[in-house]
Amino acid sequence: MSTINPLVGIIMGSDSDLPVMQAAANILKQFNIAFELTIVSAHRTPQRMMEYATNARERGLKVIIAGAGGAAHLPGMVASITTLPVIGVPIKSTNSIDGWDSILSILQMPNGIPVATVALNAAKNAGILAAEIIGTYDEKISATLLVYKKQMQTEVLNKADKLKEDWANEFDS
Ligand code: RP5
């Protein structure tokens, strides 16, 4: 699946990662940021991974979001090849013991090859972070992000008001 002139490449080690990774696609869609979504496995398709990471920048991508689970080498290996920022999504996958294996495989990168690692299964945050990276040069996207953050604030404040009201009623009764 792809959109025209994608700015964000969402890749994952397996189609079994899709239920988690589609949250990154959904939020990018909400922000009107063009993305592509595909499967690239570090272990099962190493040559495809090399090609993807090697050509990503000249194809116009600005950020890569890479999700994998278990022995999750995809984000780190892609980051070792490209100079684009890579956001890693650790996935509690079919072969993951408890999620820590995925987290540590993506997080504990050697000096020189950073991967911006989000929380376990936090593909939505990966999408938001990708948008924020694009927002550093695209005013329209940074304005969209500002609206998003303000909406979240309003939601929390409304919930706080409701809580106050509910508890006030509780004390009255
Ligand atoms: C990883 O192995 C993939 O990213 C996936 O999280 C995990 C399991 O893959 P499947 O065996 O379900 O295809 O490389």
Side-chain angles (χ1 to χ4, degrees), residues 12-17 43-44 67-69 91 93-95:
M12 63 205 83
S14 167
D15 60 345
S16 64
D17 298 324
H43 302 122
R44 292 166 178 156
I91 295 174
S93 59
T94 51
N95 65 328

Side-chain angles (χ1 to χ4, degrees), residues 11 30 36 39 43 50 57 59 61 64 71 77 79-80 92 107 114 117-118 121 142 144 150 159 164 167 169 171:
I11 56 174
Q30 188 180 320
E36 63 183 12
I39 299 165
H43 302 122
M50 284 284 290
R57 180 180 282 277
R59 288 200 302 108
L61 295 181
I64 295 173
M77 286 308 296
S80 76
K92 188 161 183 242
L107 184 69
T117 310
V118 294
N121 289 344
S142 69
T144 304
K150 286 202 168 134
K159 283 178 188 170
K164 202 173 161 189
W167 278 89
N169 294 341
F171 286 128

Side-chain angles (χ1 to χ4, degrees), residues 19 24-26 28 32 54-55 61 65 76 97 120 125 128 132 160 167:
N26 290 342
L28 289 171
N32 275 320
T54 304
N55 301 330
L61 295 181
I65 297 173
I97 298 169
L120 188 69
N125 267 0
I128 296 169
E132 287 178 342
W167 278 89

Side-chain angles (χ1 to χ4, degrees), residues 67-162:
H73 297 140
L74 179 67
M77 286 308 296
V78 168
S80 76
I81 299 163
T82 182
T83 54
L84 292 176
V86 176
I87 303 170
V89 183
I91 295 174
K92 188 161 183 242
S93 59
T94 51
N95 65 328
S96 170
I97 298 169
D98 57 5
W100 275 112
D101 41 8
S102 318
I103 292 173
L104 297 176
S105 300
I106 296 178
L107 184 69
Q108 292 301 116
M109 289 297 291
N111 278 331
I113 315 290
V115 170
T117 310
V118 294
L120 188 69
N121 289 344
K124 181 176 183 178
N125 267 0
I128 296 169
L129 186 54
E132 287 178 342
I133 291 169
I134 291 166
T136 58
Y137 67 86
D138 185 323
E139 293 294 322
K140 217 170 142 197
I141 299 300
S142 69
T144 304
L145 284 162
L146 204 60
V147 170
Y148 179 75
K149 282 193 196 270
K150 286 202 168 134
Q151 266 166 2
M152 267 194 304
Q153 277 178 34
T154 307
E155 276 167 29
V156 172
L157 294 178
N158 288 344
K159 283 178 188 170
D161 283 347
K162 186 173 181 310

